[in-house]
Amino acid sequence: MLAAVSVRGSCHGKRLLVSPALKLKWPANANAQLGLRSRQGINLIASRLVHGDTTGHNHEPKTESIRNIGIIAHVDAGKTTTTERMLFQSGRTRHLGNVDHGDTVTDFLPLERERGITIQSAAITFNWPPSHMCPPGLEPKTINLIDTPGHQDFRYEVDRCLPILDGAVCILDSVKGVEAHTERVWQSAQLSKIPRLIFINKLDRDGASFKRSVHEIASRLATWPLLCQIPWWNKDEFTGVIDVVHELGLRFSSTGHMSITSKETIARENPALATEIEIARIRLIETLSEHDDALMDEFIEHEKDVPAGSIKRAIRRLIKDGEAKFSPVFAGASLRNIGVQPLLDAVVDYLPSPVDRPELQIIDGTKTFPFSQILEREIKKKKHSHHQSPIVAIAHVFKVVDDPRRGMMSFARVYHGALSRSNQMWNSHIHGFEKPMSLLHVSANDYHELQHLSTGQIGAMTGLKSARTGDTLITFPGHHSNAPESLRNIRIKALETPPAVAFIAIEPYTKTAGEKIQDALKKLSREDPSIRWTKDEKSEQLVLSGMGLLHLEIAQHRLRTHYKIEKESAMWGDIEVEYSESLLAPVGPHRALYDRPLRDKPGKAACTVTLEPVEARHQHESLLESCIVRDTNIFHIVIPLPADTAMKGIAFDPETVRQQLLNGAIAGLARGPRRNAPVRRCHVYIEFNPETDFFGVASTGGHITNAAIHAVRDALKEAYAKGQVGILEPFSNVHISCPEEASNSIQHDLVSGRGGQVLEVRRPDDDLSSESGIDLSKVYVPPGPYDSVQSLRGPKKAVVRMLDIIGKAPLKEMMKYDSQLRSMTGGRHSLQLDPGGFELVTGPRERALEEARL
């Protein structure tokens, strides 16, 4: 049976069929007519479409051949569908999964398949192109792909995966354009300096607009779109894409089979399209030449005939720094298999390997150093041989999952050396060694044991009892019973956990049930640090906090299904908004001396604390001062030392004391004096004077931590007594799309009934002003199918004029607002919510909160 793949050129319109077992055959002059460089090239293109690849872990890939990428997007943009098509086209799977049918590879949790959304990130590995299709001298690239959630409640799940990636594919829904969560994950990728490609998806849908999507890329994502592809329309039907770089047409049938059409054939059948291809290529080359000297030289020499390879190399150079000043743009419709194979080619061609990324940065104390500088320092200090590195391997734990069969699995990315299951690994967070039971290669919910994980690889480890998200694992040469003193505290920067915005109260009926629930909550919060829990020692009530309504619903479901917590074992409250407390005026300095026995051991320590609202902060400079941000609070810890004091003469380790003071200050802010709620937006200054606050061996770590706790709490009590503690509530950024006739009532309800604000009202098709400084008139976009005609689908019955309402409102009022909007719009609306920070509660809302507590 011949595969329905064809290559069309000027060979008298003949269709060339490809057999999976045979190389492609074509007339002798086909190379020149198709404009391709070699017969191997056309064989490779055809074989990529036909064959699959079942290899994945048969041999260890070279670091240069690895692509660690993530799929990021707003919910329902098509992330999982695109991932499923990538796996199918690469041969990793033989069945096309469908989100609606609940049979996709990466959405394997029962709740994900039930709800049709991605809840947790999933990793899977495949090769592209498959090895048996590669011409001599070309090896397949190993793609480690992570499919991430798109719902805003799971933004922490996305954020903890992004730093370990080397590249990302951002998917846009061409009907909706750049959405709220798209902007947020784009900014997260920007913080980690991750090179990105953009895939404009769902161009086959009614209302799709390639032009609007490209303009929003420039205006809302603040990146210049490099159009490597443009859509191919047959009247108003989206049938394929035009490869601007190679000047080829890639047409897709309704069943997903692809045919390749040369520029000459396109020119004969559609001269206008051929002209547009030339314009698109020239505009792409001109944009690249303005910022890449090498391509400028070639442009001057070859003009419009710049080789495709030169264009690709220029694009790769411009995006590899991760600043996203430029972003290659591709087009397609994943559900119909349009554009997926070219997107995989782009991942291989444009996104970097681990060796192409900037050098790993290591935090040592309060300073950050390149990893090579840490190694050089140790080599000089210990007089190591350059053939023996003082650090054998270093890895970053970015996720922990409680697997029902294997227990706690720690997912890690290796940045240097190779991790072996026989090695003791130093965890610089807990200051202790751990040894894994096994190393695993991960593909969704499928695991294969490995002997080691090498540089650039992503894998999982079982048997680590204490590792948590953000921990750094290090192996040293030889058999160490302890880590070298100078390397004990080095770490890779960890993600800050965002503050919780919602909570649910749990009241166990029995002591046994309470202990079981607490044990489950410990494991759940280790899996997902954005889930926190506390216990009221007097009432025995447990409080579970999270990132929103859906996040806590999923957490409850996992407690009941995975950890077997029976619903009847406790009284479960409703999900409510978590309020916080905030300082309204500076207080202090306040000195606390903690002079009590701990665990029957006497001791004492002291420190001085000053608290200020974050808005009123000012800079302090001192030796060994640090600035740390946690949950919107800023901590400055000052340990003044005489300028001529050598570090060897200090009776304590300043970094250890600093961490103990920080732990105490964080604990002191965990419960405020007004509502017993967390304190936020507080600037905490802690001074630990060795002459007055340190008492030798009597100042144990516990006493130093407790001194900080009491100093912070006493200062907060003083502020509360003066009426200087306010209440904060979480807000949401609101984007409502609704019919024009319902807009006035919605705006009135949002402001008067919900305590929100309307910031902007606009039509969806209004021209966007680019705040990024990009002149949209200079951004090239090809004409769409409706630019020259009113409509090709026949007259429409009634066009509903829509408006976009953009504003902000208290999260409490928005948690179930969708059902309210449904009654106001007849279901003709969309609602997008995104975290909007915390706002001070004043006036009637503050009085209502206080009365509700009475």
Side-chain angles (χ1 to χ4, degrees):
M1 177 179 177
L2 295 176
V5 178
S6 65
V7 179
R8 294 182 59 209
S10 302
C11 308
H12 311 291
K14 292 182 179 178
R15 185 175 293 263
L16 308 175
L17 295 178
V18 183
S19 168
L22 300 174
K23 286 189 175 181
L24 181 67
K25 297 181 180 179
W26 62 91
N29 63 344
N31 282 343
Q33 293 175 350
L34 290 175
L36 298 176
R37 289 177 294 176
S38 66
R39 296 187 179 186
Q40 283 183 342
I42 191 67
N43 267 323
L44 177 59
I45 293 175
S47 63
R48 285 184 180 185
L49 312 177
V50 179
H51 292 281
D53 180 24
T54 57
T55 63
H57 7 269
N58 293 338
H59 65 280
E60 182 179 323
K62 297 178 181 178
T63 307
E64 297 81 358
S65 298
I66 295 175
R67 300 290 186 272
N68 293 317
I69 70 166
I71 304 289
I72 59 175
H74 191 89
V75 65
D76 289 334
K79 296 182 305 302
T80 302
T81 300
T82 302
T83 300
E84 198 69 22
R85 269 61 188 168
M86 286 179 169
L87 298 177
F88 180 78
Q89 296 297 341
S90 70
R92 185 67 176 81
T93 61
R94 297 295 180 182
H95 167 71
L96 270 176
N98 190 297
V99 173
D100 295 331
H101 299 162
D103 58 355
T104 59
V105 174
T106 52
D107 284 353
F108 55 84
L109 294 179
L111 198 58
E112 290 180 315
R113 295 184 169 181
E114 177 186 327
R115 292 181 178 244
I117 62 172
T118 302
I119 293 172
Q120 69 172 20
S121 56
I124 192 161
T125 300
F126 58 93
N127 287 350
W128 186 263
S131 56
H132 60 277
M133 302 173 203
C134 296
L138 179 65
E139 292 187 358
K141 301 298 187 289
T142 298
I143 299 177
N144 296 318
L145 184 146
I146 295 182
D147 181 21
T148 64
H151 196 283
Q152 57 132 356
D153 278 15
F154 306 112
R155 58 192 180 275
Y156 179 79
E157 181 72 12
V158 181
D159 288 349
R160 66 174 171 177
C161 294
L162 283 175
I164 61 99
L165 300 176
D166 299 316
V169 177
C170 181
I171 299 180
L172 301 186
D173 183 338
S174 60
V175 178
K176 300 176 181 178
V178 175
E179 300 176 83
H181 190 66
T182 309
E183 291 182 276
R184 209 205 66 77
V185 295
W186 186 269
Q187 289 301 320
S188 295
Q190 190 75 14
L191 291 175
S192 298
K193 297 291 186 289
I194 298 173
R196 280 145 276 173
L197 310 178
I198 299 176
F199 181 63
I200 300 179
N201 193 23
K202 301 187 179 182
L203 283 166
D204 59 326
R205 300 286 184 90
D206 287 343
S209 174
F210 186 75
K211 178 178 181 178
R212 186 181 70 244
S213 298
V214 171
H215 279 169
E216 289 188 359
I217 288 170
S219 62
R220 297 181 63 177
L221 300 184
T223 183
W224 191 282
L226 302 172
L227 268 58
C228 298
Q229 290 177 355
I230 58 176
W232 190 353
W233 304 96
N234 179 15
K235 295 183 179 179
D236 65 339
E237 182 184 0
F238 178 60
T239 59
V241 297
I242 299 296
D243 185 336
V244 174
V245 177
H246 294 97
E247 298 181 282
L248 291 174
L250 308 176
R251 179 171 280 168
F252 299 77
S253 69
S254 58
T255 57
H257 298 150
M258 186 175 88
S259 61
I260 303 171
T261 307
S262 71
K263 178 184 177 182
E264 291 79 10
T265 302
I266 294 174
R268 186 173 61 252
E269 297 178 354
N270 191 340
L273 179 58
T275 301
E276 197 62 43
I277 294 174
E278 289 187 5
I279 295 172
R281 198 170 194 269
I282 285 294
R283 293 293 296 271
L284 176 62
I285 294 172
E286 288 175 347
T287 301
L288 294 171
S289 298
E290 290 176 3
H291 301 88
D292 187 88
D293 293 339
L295 191 69
M296 173 62 81
D297 294 339
E298 294 203 45
F299 187 31
I300 293 172
E301 180 181 353
H302 301 287
E303 296 184 349
K304 66 178 182 179
D305 297 322
V306 174
S310 300
I311 295 175
K312 287 183 176 182
R313 287 189 291 272
I315 293 174
R316 188 178 176 93
R317 286 192 294 268
L318 285 182
I319 72 169
K320 70 177 183 179
D321 61 1
E323 295 289 348
K325 295 178 181 177
F326 303 89
S327 296
V329 176
F330 301 86
S334 296
L335 193 60
R336 286 178 50 194
N337 293 293
I338 298 179
V340 176
Q341 300 98 314
L343 181 61
L344 283 169
D345 286 337
V347 168
V348 169
D349 291 337
Y350 300 126
L351 294 181
S353 70
V355 298
D356 299 322
R357 297 288 287 139
E359 186 176 2
L360 175 67
Q361 299 296 306
I362 296 292
I363 299 174
D364 188 3
T366 60
K367 297 181 179 180
T368 302
F369 303 93
F371 181 64
S372 60
Q373 190 172 331
I374 297 287
L375 294 180
E376 286 294 328
R377 182 190 71 187
E378 293 302 308
I379 290 172
K380 292 178 180 178
K381 185 187 300 181
K382 302 293 184 181
K383 296 183 179 179
H384 282 277
S385 165
H386 281 271
H387 299 289
Q388 183 186 35
S389 173
I391 295 177
V392 173
I394 186 167
H396 177 71
V397 178
F398 67 92
K399 182 176 177 175
V400 177
V401 173
D402 189 8
D403 185 80
R405 289 179 297 169
R406 296 175 176 83
M408 283 292 180
M409 297 195 306
S410 303
F411 287 70
R413 155 79 187 263
V414 182
Y415 286 95
H416 169 76
L419 292 180
S420 171
R421 62 182 181 180
S422 62
N423 291 137
Q424 291 279 354
M425 301 177 186
W426 174 259
N427 187 326
S428 61
H429 175 71
I430 64 170
H431 278 206
F433 280 102
E434 294 193 88
K435 185 176 181 179
M437 293 176 58
S438 62
L439 301 178
L440 302 172
H441 173 274
V442 183
S443 282
N445 61 341
D446 187 23
Y447 304 96
H448 302 271
E449 288 206 19
L450 300 172
Q451 293 300 315
H452 58 268
L453 282 172
S454 299
T455 302
Q457 291 186 327
I458 296 172
M461 291 170 278
T462 63
L464 301 185
K465 296 185 180 347
S466 304
R468 302 177 67 93
T469 297
D471 286 0
T472 299
L473 302 177
I474 311 167
T475 60
F476 302 108
H479 299 281
H480 283 270
S481 59
N482 203 357
E485 189 67 31
S486 57
L487 298 175
R488 291 171 59 88
N489 297 309
I490 66 169
R491 57 188 173 88
I492 300 170
K493 183 179 180 181
L495 176 70
E496 295 293 341
T497 307
V501 297
F503 74 92
I504 181 172
I506 307 170
E507 296 187 12
Y509 289 131
T510 65
K511 183 177 180 180
T512 302
E515 292 173 350
K516 185 177 180 180
I517 294 174
Q518 288 181 62
D519 184 59
L521 289 176
K522 289 177 183 177
K523 295 179 179 178
L524 186 63
S525 62
R526 185 181 171 192
E527 281 191 281
D528 184 357
S530 63
I531 290 178
R532 290 87 173 265
W533 67 279
T534 57
K535 178 182 178 182
D536 189 315
E537 298 297 338
K538 295 181 180 179
S539 65
E540 299 291 322
Q541 183 187 71
L542 303 171
V543 177
L544 178 65
S545 302
M547 305 306 298
L549 180 66
L550 180 60
H551 191 211
L552 288 178
E553 286 178 352
I554 300 300
Q556 289 183 78
H557 183 273
R558 186 156 178 80
L559 284 173
R560 292 168 186 167
T561 56
H562 181 77
Y563 292 107
K564 310 301 181 186
I565 302 298
E566 297 180 1
K567 186 176 182 180
E568 294 76 17
S569 65
M571 182 171 69
W572 304 75
D574 295 329
I575 297 176
E576 301 179 42
V577 165
E578 179 164 285
Y579 292 92
S580 306
E581 301 180 28
S582 178
L583 210 60
L584 301 178
V587 60
H590 196 100
R591 186 173 186 270
L593 174 65
Y594 189 80
D595 187 7
R596 302 178 190 173
L598 284 177
R599 297 177 182 176
D600 298 327
K601 293 183 179 180
K604 62 179 178 178
C607 67
T608 302
V609 167
T610 302
L611 305 182
E612 296 180 4
V614 166
E615 293 80 5
R617 66 183 182 272
H618 58 274
Q619 296 297 322
H620 285 194
E621 294 184 0
S622 178
L623 182 65
L624 294 178
E625 178 181 299
S626 65
C627 178
I628 301 169
V629 181
R630 296 281 176 86
D631 283 356
T632 71
N633 296 314
I634 299 176
F635 300 88
H636 271 176
I637 301 174
V638 182
I639 304 178
L641 297 170
D644 58 347
T645 300
M647 295 297 290
K648 294 181 180 178
I650 304 176
F652 58 88
D653 179 12
E655 292 306 320
T656 301
V657 170
R658 188 188 313 283
Q659 187 62 46
Q660 292 162 351
L661 292 169
L662 175 64
N663 293 341
I666 292 173
L669 295 178
R671 295 176 181 271
R674 183 168 177 177
R675 295 177 59 88
N676 209 29
V679 179
R680 308 198 192 282
R681 292 186 181 175
C682 187
H683 203 169
V684 182
Y685 298 93
I686 306 178
E687 182 175 351
F688 184 83
N689 192 326
E691 296 182 0
T692 59
D693 300 333
F694 183 69
F695 302 93
V697 294
S699 293
T700 66
H703 286 88
I704 293 172
T705 298
N706 273 279
I709 293 174
H710 283 76
V712 170
R713 287 180 178 173
D714 291 347
L716 288 173
K717 289 178 182 177
E718 179 185 332
Y720 180 56
K722 296 178 180 179
Q724 296 173 347
V725 177
I727 301 174
L728 297 174
E729 67 174 332
F731 263 57
S732 283
N733 294 323
V734 182
H735 189 153
I736 301 171
S737 180
C738 65
E740 188 174 20
E741 62 267 19
S743 63
N744 287 335
S745 58
I746 292 175
Q747 292 179 61
H748 181 269
D749 181 66
L750 195 64
V751 175
S752 301
R754 310 284 170 173
Q757 304 173 36
V758 174
L759 303 177
E760 183 183 1
V761 179
R762 69 184 185 207
R763 298 190 185 283
D765 55 354
D766 285 349
D767 289 335
L768 294 172
S769 59
S770 177
E771 298 179 359
S772 63
I774 298 176
D775 185 352
L776 297 187
S777 65
K778 296 182 179 179
V779 174
Y780 165 76
V781 187
Y786 306 115
D787 286 0
S788 58
V789 293
Q790 184 66 28
S791 175
L792 296 175
R793 298 183 186 274
K796 294 186 171 79
K797 293 181 180 179
V799 177
V800 179
R801 296 171 64 89
M802 303 293 286
L803 286 179
D804 287 344
I805 300 172
I806 299 168
K808 59 191 305 185
L811 175 62
K812 179 181 180 181
E813 306 294 341
M814 294 291 104
M815 291 178 73
K816 298 181 180 180
Y817 195 50
D818 193 55
S819 57
Q820 176 71 19
L821 284 176
R822 191 172 293 112
S823 64
M824 300 170 70
T825 66
R828 298 175 298 174
H829 75 280
S830 66
L831 172 66
Q832 296 178 15
L833 301 176
D834 206 46
F838 292 85
E839 299 285 344
L840 191 65
V841 182
T842 58
R845 291 185 65 82
E846 184 179 16
R847 290 193 295 272
L849 283 175
E850 290 302 301
E851 290 171 1
R853 285 175 56 86
L854 298 178

